Amino acid sequence: RVFMLEFGVTGIDRYITLGSPHAPPPAGAEGVVDQTRGILNWCQDAAPGAYHPQVKYVTVAGRKVKGVKLSQQGTWLAKFAGAGYQQVCGDAEVWGDFIVPVPSAHLEGAINVDIDDCFHSPLGTKLKFFGPWYGSDEMVDQWMHYVTDDWSSLQPGWYEEHPDGSTTSSSSSSSTSAGSSSSSSGLDQGEAVTAGVPAQQ
């Protein structure tokens, strides 16, 4: 986002991120320290959401672990994830890829995609209980078409990718900090889309 602000968007037609934190933590959240020391706040102020209209924005987020508060019942994995999510988005009880929570990984006005069971980093290939990450073959197949295909008819909104190659519009926006609803995608919740292009009416 900073590159496009600094150098322009000539030659850039799409911007795709994998588990990247975009939204800063909410101001004044108790016990939360901005891990980026203000960088995300600056980015959000300088280039909010899908800032450049001539660029298609796609944000991909993993739904590996739903966090819980340290004081609640849950697995150590869920508690550890929740403690991290709390620092990033101000809420422990959200889904994420174990490092970046879903609400922080999406941008308002973008095509926001959730992938189930996707871990944040290649560490997952070495510690099997973490499982596949964005770069694993089975996960690449779920987002690569946004890089290679012509999906110009796909509208901004929230979608879920599935291992069988299908995509459905999602209610994930209800858990995002953007505050938009899934109806902004122009699709009814659960309506199937193929290879990133909505089914024709």
Side-chain angles (χ1 to χ4, degrees), residues 28-139:
E30 184 177 356
V32 174
V33 177
D34 182 0
Q35 304 299 305
T36 69
R37 303 300 188 268
I39 293 174
L40 289 180
N41 277 295
W42 185 91
C43 285
Q44 180 164 277
D45 291 342
Y51 184 70
H52 298 281
Q54 63 272 55
V55 175
K56 287 281 190 178
Y57 286 71
V58 180
T59 64
V60 180
R63 286 169 53 93
K64 178 65 179 180
V65 180
K66 185 173 183 180
V68 299
K69 295 179 180 178
L70 292 174
S71 59
Q72 294 178 323
Q73 292 291 323
T75 65
W76 72 267
L77 205 64
K79 290 185 177 185
F80 195 89
Y85 298 163
Q86 176 78 32
Q87 290 299 311
V88 179
C89 75
D91 188 356
E93 299 175 272
V94 295
W95 281 95
D97 63 12
F98 192 69
I99 302 297
V100 176
V102 169
S104 297
H106 290 326
L107 284 169
E108 186 172 4
I111 294 167
N112 297 309
V113 180
D114 292 344
I115 298 180
D116 286 338
D117 202 35
C118 186
F119 183 64
H120 181 76
S121 79
L123 182 64
T125 63
K126 301 186 183 301
L127 301 177
K128 296 303 181 184
F129 57 88
F130 282 134
W133 76 294
Y134 297 99
S136 298
D137 289 345
E138 60 267 48
M139 297 301 170

Side-chain angles (χ1 to χ4, degrees), residues 118-188:
C118 186
F119 183 64
H120 181 76
S121 79
L123 182 64
T125 63
K126 301 186 183 301
L127 301 177
K128 296 303 181 184
F129 57 88
F130 282 134
W133 76 294
Y134 297 99
S136 298
D137 289 345
E138 60 267 48
M139 297 301 170
V140 169
D141 289 343
Q142 296 187 59
W143 58 261
M144 182 56 72
H145 61 85
Y146 292 100
V147 177
T148 60
D149 292 358
D150 178 11
W151 37 265
S152 57
S153 60
L154 190 59
Q155 299 300 309
W158 281 262
Y159 302 89
E160 291 180 359
E161 289 286 339
H162 307 292
D164 64 1
S166 65
T167 308
T168 55
S169 62
S170 167
S171 59
S172 294
S173 57
S174 63
S175 67
T176 70
S177 57
S180 301
S181 69
S182 59
S183 62
S184 66
S185 68
L187 299 173
D188 293 331

